[in-house]
Amino acid sequence: MPLTHFLSLIALVTLAAGVTIALAVWANVPLVAVSFAAVAGSLILAWNRVGR
């Protein structure tokens, strides 16, 4: 993967995370709920990979 694609991918992921947090704050969603959703999603994806 070329360096420019890699760096733009990192920038895009960081931007998406920032937008997600900004929308959660704007919608008055507790950050604990957002954190729980992120951890739950991570555990689900990890469980799926281990199960294979």
Side-chain angles (χ1 to χ4, degrees):
M1 177 185 300
L3 181 61
T4 54
H5 290 181
F6 179 70
L7 293 177
S8 62
L9 182 64
I10 290 174
L12 185 65
V13 168
T14 305
L15 180 67
V19 168
T20 301
I21 292 172
L23 286 174
V25 169
W26 177 73
N28 293 326
V29 176
L31 287 179
V32 173
V34 176
S35 301
F36 179 76
V39 170
S42 175
L43 289 174
I44 290 169
L45 288 175
W47 189 318
N48 284 339
R49 289 191 63 98
V50 169
R52 291 183 186 181

